[in-house]
Every structure is written in structure tokens, then in C-alpha cells.
Amino acid sequence: MLTSGFNLRPVYFASKLVLAAGILLCAAASVAYASSHREAPLIATMPKVDGTDFYMFNSYEPNRSGYVTLIANYSPLEDAYGGPNYFALDPNALYEIHIDNVGDGKAHLTFQFRFRNTVSNVALNVGGKQVAIPLVQAGPVSAGDSSKLNVNETYTLKVLRGASHEDSEGVVTGPGGITTFTKPTDFIGTKTFGSVSGYASYARQYVYTINIPGCGAPGRVFVGQRKESFAVALGKTFDLLNLNPLGPRNGNANDLSDKNITSIALEVPAQCLVGERGTSVIGGWTTSSIRKERLSDSDAAGISERGWTQVSRLGMPLVNELVIGLKDKDKFNNSKPANDGQFADYVTNPTLPALIESLFPGAKAPTNFPRLDLVFTFLTGFQGLNQLRTVTPSEMLRLNTSIPPTPKGSQKNLGVLAGDNAGFPNGRRPGDDVVTASLRVVIGVLCTFNKPGIFGCSPSDAPAGAAPLTDGAAIDDSVFDNSFPYLTTPIPGAMN
């Protein structure tokens, strides 16, 4: 259950409309049965810019106290053998990680990534003619020799400050003042890279120490393919929750166990993220945007800034798949947290708990409306744990940077529910089982906690609130690395 190390007093809002909006997005965020893969009609056609997971946690690598790690995953369901072009990110897109250190649902600090692919035009002498090869590599590749690569993917990184980027903009630099960084080629196979350890060494050379303008200490960045970091019984979940929700937490196969992902990972000094706002709590989310001219008028019905139209947005997992109505899924991806009130009708009376009850009659849905218990967990945070000074209901991850990280091996994968205040929903670590934790919250576990009524509900409002629900595809910190970027070496496309 929740620990008592922070103040759980509810926050009341002056406007009933604002509260309704909070309930909506909170309920949406709280039903995270899986990560966001192909969650909306438009983004399903653009996998290169489809955000799948977002992590934000206090770095737990030894000797990295005072740093926060931000990881945004893109390009869902990568098959390791997906050649010959593999999974480069989109050079005509904008990838961003946003930080709100005020609490108004606006980005006051943005890390902006742009990518570029360069073809080397490697050719072979065939009958006296130099003919370009059809592959991304012409021979073995290693940490010390990338000369056989035919395609090189690079990126630049900027930091923007101010809710409208009006304060300042700076270019992030690396060793020797470089401003262009290299993304390692995907793990084509062990014949190309020698071995799994050979690829790990090759990729590791592209973890850069960086200087971030306006930060007093250096950070780190890595962009590249990793093994898919999420675990879920994906097929069963969308087959009318074809699960055993009271069964063992490892009773189902992880349908993503044979997939890779592309990760954008940053490690930033916490003091740089919180700024001078007088709070240690931050909110975060990731977005991607493409040029407006690439969309039809009907596709681009949303925010468009600086010639870009936002097409993907992700803070908490699975907001869009199971809550937002089909007609508004693209609109949600195109929206900002500060404007989340526009989706209030979808979860003022959330449908997912009712669906769970209809499919599993023993799992009685909570009857407390509005669902304040969900608001605090996923939308406003808890006072004394992860609540910003200004409380604007908005869907994003919230992290208290002053709570010491729990070391690898001691983390509890149910996070705060299991007494580990360094875990979900206080940020999100790769080993947090957000599926199981969220299932239990959505069915009303908070209504059974501590003093009745503290979350606007009592045990009688949540008959199944104490049920140990699970999707059966457990995950924990043991399957991740103990150093940045934490996500592990991807699966090779072929073994030699």
C-alpha cells in the first residue's frame, strides 16, 4: 500500500470544469495496460514518429546522484531482422522532450532533436563499373571501424527555455565542442558486428558527455536501438482483456519480448530541470512533429507552431488507446497538456472500469464519481510527494527530484504502492510494472487506503479495491542495466 511519508490531503479546484478535465485525463492515464503502440489512426501510418514509452526517474547508476534520466522511445514493434533499411528516425521530423517546472501544463524547458541520414554511396567494381550497393553496410562493423557503413545517421540537440521558447535557445555540445552526434546503426546481426558484446561495445562509444547551455554540470545523451523495454500481454489485452486478472503476475507471455525499440535518452542535472522555481518537482512528456505540408487539412486540425504540426504526444502510458474516443485520438496527439480540458466528456464517467466489470463481474467498478483517487495519482500528484506548486490538471509524468533513487536490486516494481517512493507514479523507471499498478488503482485500491474519504471515496465505493489485479506480464529492474541509458542491447537480426 501507499506509505505515509508524504501528505495525502486532497486538492480541491475552484472550477467544476477544471475538475472534470482532471478526472478525464487522470482516468485516461490510470488505465495503462500497455505502452502506446500504434494508438491513433494517423500515427499508425507514421511509425518513425510514433512515441511508445516515456520514462523519467532519478538516476540510480552508482555515483550519479543529483541527475535525472529522461528516455523517450519511438518506432514501435521493431523486428530485429527488419532490413534492408532498418529503423532510422525521420530526418524531416522534430523530436522533443518537454519539462514543466511550474505546474501550468506548459513546457518551460524543451530538448529538441533533429536527425540526418547521410548515404556514403559505397560502390563495388562490377565488370569495370563502380556500382552502388543495395545495403546499409558493405562489410563488418566494430567499435573501432565503421568504414564499411553505407548509411550514417546523425543528430543535433538544442535546449529551449520559456513557455513560448522566448527566454533563450542554446546548442548542446559534446567532446571537443562537437555539435553533431552519431546514432549507432541498428543491430543488423552478429556477422556484421562480430557478437552481441561486439555490438554493445560499438553502441557504447556513442554515449556522449554533453554541455547543456544554462546547466552548471555536464549531462549525457544516447540515441539508438535498444531492446523493447515494455512488458505486456499485448494481444490478450486488446482481445477484450482476455486475461486472468487474479492469476500469477508472470502468468502470461510478454508479447514484446522479441521486439526492439529506438530510444532517445538524456541524463540531465536535476538542478537544471527544476530551475529556480522553488520546487524539486517536475513534469515531463515527449512529442514529435512533422512539417504541416506533409498533412492534409483534415489531418492537421490542431496545434501548428513554427511550421511544425505535432503528431505524437506521450506522458503516461496508454492514455490514447483506451480512453480517448476514436474521432479525437489524432486530436489528442496534436494537443498540449495545458489544454486537456477539451477532452473532459470522455472520462467524467470513465468507461474502462465499467468495461472491466462487464468482462469480469467479480471486479466491481468503483462508484465514487468524480474519481478523485485517480486525479491525485495521475493528474495532480500527491502533496508532499510529486505535486508541483501550481496545480493545473494535465496529463504528464511527475517526478520529485529530491527523493533519493532506490538502487537496482532493491527497487519494488509496484513503486509507491509497494512503499518505494522513488518509483511510479513518482516518475517512471524501466523496471516499474505500471500495468499492474495502474490496474489496481483504476479498480479503486486508493479507496481502501488509510482514512476513508481522503480520496473522495471509501472502501464501500470500491468493492474490488483490494483485489491483486495483474495482466500477468511482470517486469522488474533485474532485466535492465545499472548504467545509462539503462535499456539493454537490442536483439540481433541474425546470429552467426
Side-chain angles (χ1 to χ4, degrees):
M1 297 299 293
L2 288 166
T3 60
S4 58
F6 51 87
N7 189 341
L8 293 176
R9 288 183 299 156
V11 176
Y12 295 101
F13 306 103
S15 165
K16 194 179 271 189
L17 177 62
V18 173
L19 177 59
I23 297 162
L24 160 68
L25 264 295
C26 172
S30 68
V31 294
Y33 294 111
S35 66
S36 296
H37 295 79
R38 295 170 50 83
E39 80 284 354
L42 179 62
I43 203 65
T45 69
M46 297 184 289
K48 290 177 181 288
V49 289
D50 188 354
T52 66
D53 278 294
F54 180 61
Y55 301 92
M56 182 169 68
F57 55 95
N58 290 319
S59 299
Y60 55 85
E61 177 182 344
N63 302 316
R64 298 302 286 182
S65 175
Y67 282 86
V68 171
T69 295
L70 309 160
I71 303 174
N73 285 350
Y74 282 87
S75 184
L77 306 176
E78 293 181 0
D79 290 317
Y81 48 82
N85 293 306
Y86 298 95
F87 302 99
L89 293 176
D90 190 344
N92 297 311
L94 191 67
Y95 298 84
E96 296 178 306
I97 295 175
H98 307 278
I99 298 297
D100 174 12
N101 51 25
V102 175
D104 56 4
K106 298 178 181 179
H108 294 268
L109 190 67
T110 294
F111 298 95
Q112 188 179 91
F113 292 79
R114 292 292 309 276
F115 290 86
R116 181 180 181 183
N117 298 331
T118 303
V119 178
S120 300
N121 291 322
V122 173
L124 297 179
N125 188 322
V126 182
K129 293 185 177 182
Q130 293 293 315
V131 182
I133 67 170
L135 305 177
V136 300
Q137 89 283 31
V141 179
S142 68
D145 184 6
S146 296
S147 61
K148 300 296 185 180
L149 280 178
N150 194 26
V151 177
N152 291 281
E153 190 173 5
T154 58
Y155 61 95
T156 57
L157 173 57
K158 291 182 179 179
V159 58
L160 298 87
R161 288 182 168 81
S164 300
H165 306 320
E166 73 279 3
D167 291 349
S168 63
E169 176 180 315
V171 176
V172 173
T173 59
I178 63 171
T179 58
T180 299
F181 306 93
T182 297
K183 172 183 174 290
T185 298
D186 292 348
F187 198 171
I188 298 168
T190 57
K191 185 173 184 180
T192 296
F193 289 98
S195 63
V196 173
S197 62
Y199 182 85
S201 297
Y202 161 76
R204 196 177 302 120
Q205 68 182 332
Y206 300 114
V207 174
Y208 294 95
T209 297
I210 55 175
N211 296 309
I212 306 171
C215 293
R220 289 189 287 186
V221 67
F222 171 82
V223 179
Q225 190 178 55
R226 298 283 88 188
K227 187 180 185 300
E228 169 64 71
S229 53
F230 202 77
V232 64
L234 193 62
K236 290 185 174 183
T237 292
F238 289 103
D239 183 24
L240 295 178
L241 302 181
N242 187 7
L243 306 164
N244 179 10
L246 294 177
R249 289 184 60 191
N250 59 353
N252 285 321
N254 171 21
D255 290 337
L256 305 183
S257 63
D258 62 346
K259 304 296 182 183
N260 290 327
I261 202 73
T262 297
S263 297
I264 297 174
L266 270 172
E267 189 182 52
V268 183
Q271 64 182 18
C272 181
L273 298 176
V274 299
E276 299 178 355
R277 306 287 180 176
T279 178
S280 59
V281 178
I282 57 174
W285 66 99
T286 183
T287 64
S288 62
S289 303
I290 62 176
R291 292 295 185 185
K292 185 176 181 180
E293 56 266 26
R294 291 174 60 184
L295 299 174
S296 68
D297 290 340
S298 60
D299 290 334
I303 60 171
S304 182
E305 297 179 344
R306 308 180 307 279
W308 298 97
T309 294
Q310 181 182 302
V311 292
S312 181
R313 165 190 163 191
L314 183 61
M316 289 288 208
L318 209 75
V319 172
N320 216 348
E321 285 92 333
L322 292 180
V323 177
I324 304 299
L326 184 60
K327 70 183 182 68
D328 281 335
K329 287 181 180 291
D330 292 334
K331 186 176 182 179
F332 179 84
N333 269 343
N334 196 242
S335 66
K336 293 183 176 182
N339 300 324
D340 282 341
Q342 65 185 306
F343 303 108
D345 288 347
Y346 289 118
V347 293
T348 301
N349 296 289
T351 58
L352 191 61
L355 176 62
I356 293 174
E357 180 178 336
S358 71
L359 298 172
F360 304 99
K364 298 295 183 183
T367 57
N368 53 300
F369 299 106
R371 289 290 304 273
L372 290 179
D373 55 328
L374 302 186
V375 173
F376 305 130
T377 304
F378 296 99
L379 202 67
T380 66
F382 296 100
Q383 194 174 73
L385 177 71
N386 63 341
Q387 189 178 101
L388 285 148
R389 292 180 63 188
T390 301
V391 183
T392 300
S394 47
E395 187 275 303
M396 56 184 171
L397 280 178
R398 289 171 170 81
L399 173 70
N400 189 332
T401 62
S402 70
I403 293 178
T406 303
K408 175 179 165 67
S410 299
Q411 295 175 14
K412 295 185 171 147
N413 63 354
L414 290 183
V416 175
L417 283 178
D420 183 358
N421 287 350
F424 183 78
N426 181 33
R428 179 186 175 194
R429 302 166 300 197
D432 286 336
D433 189 351
V434 298
V435 176
T436 293
S438 298
L439 271 172
R440 296 182 185 184
V441 170
V442 77
I443 210 65
V445 67
L446 296 184
C447 297
T448 70
F449 172 70
N450 207 354
K451 299 178 182 178
I454 196 168
F455 298 113
C457 57
S458 63
S460 62
D461 295 317
L469 298 186
T470 180
D471 78 321
I475 195 168
D476 58 48
D477 64 343
S478 67
V479 296
F480 296 98
D481 289 342
N482 197 30
S483 60
F484 181 82
Y486 297 96
L487 308 190
T488 56
T489 301
I491 300 168
M495 295 294 290
N496 187 5

